[in-house]
Amino acid sequence: QVQLQESGPGLVKPSQTLSLTCTVSGASITTNSYHWNWVRQAPGKRLEWVGAIDYSGSTYYSPSLRSRASISRDTDKNQLTLQLSSVTPEDTALYFCARDRGGGIYYTSLYEYDAWGAGIQVTVSS
């Protein structure tokens, strides 16, 4: 059974770069056809897709975050990483990593993914 676990700092100062890691167990991030997504949910707002990296290493980003987001992976550690630069308080949210077979940009609920982590709260504040 696949398990995903997010880790990283819970507090980031404005203008700094947020860096989160998702450690995957029970499945390889290079398994054919799977996409590994980063999504977030701010208080009182809808689930927002940040971006994804697929089994081949290709990356995809939300148009609104493309200029600030970078997703990478470490296949030896079976981990994916999200970096979000120049953060502002509007980036405060619960961040999740989640797995699907593509199409995550259209999802409005975590339940549309076939696996997801517990999430990590990130607050941007000075």
Side-chain angles (χ1 to χ4, degrees):
Q1 181 178 354
V2 62
Q3 293 186 320
L4 299 86
Q5 183 171 4
E6 304 88 351
S7 59
L11 180 64
V12 183
K13 295 185 184 301
S15 82
Q16 291 188 340
T17 295
L18 164 68
S19 184
L20 298 176
T21 297
C22 176
T23 300
V24 179
S25 58
S28 170
I29 61 174
T30 61
T31 297
N32 195 20
S33 81
Y34 281 113
H35 291 220
W36 303 89
N37 303 264
W38 285 101
V39 298
R40 67 183 186 179
Q41 188 160 27
K45 295 190 177 182
R46 301 171 69 175
L47 192 70
E48 180 182 17
W49 182 75
V50 176
I53 187 165
D54 73 13
Y55 61 96
S56 71
S58 296
T59 52
Y60 312 86
Y61 298 102
S62 166
S64 64
L65 295 170
R66 183 187 307 275
S67 63
R68 298 194 294 125
S70 177
I71 298 174
S72 59
R73 67 180 186 174
D74 185 327
T75 56
D76 290 336
K77 295 181 179 179
N78 216 37
Q79 293 177 333
L80 49 148
T81 299
L82 168 67
Q83 291 193 312
L84 188 64
S85 63
S86 304
V87 296
T88 72
E90 285 66 42
D91 293 309
T92 294
L94 190 57
Y95 285 75
F96 299 89
C97 55
R99 186 183 77 171
D100 74 339
R101 293 182 183 269
I105 189 172
Y106 302 110
Y107 299 165
T108 59
S109 168
L110 277 177
Y111 293 99
E112 296 184 81
Y113 295 91
D114 61 29
W116 58 91
I120 183 169
Q121 175 65 42
V122 176
T123 300
V124 179
S125 174
S126 56

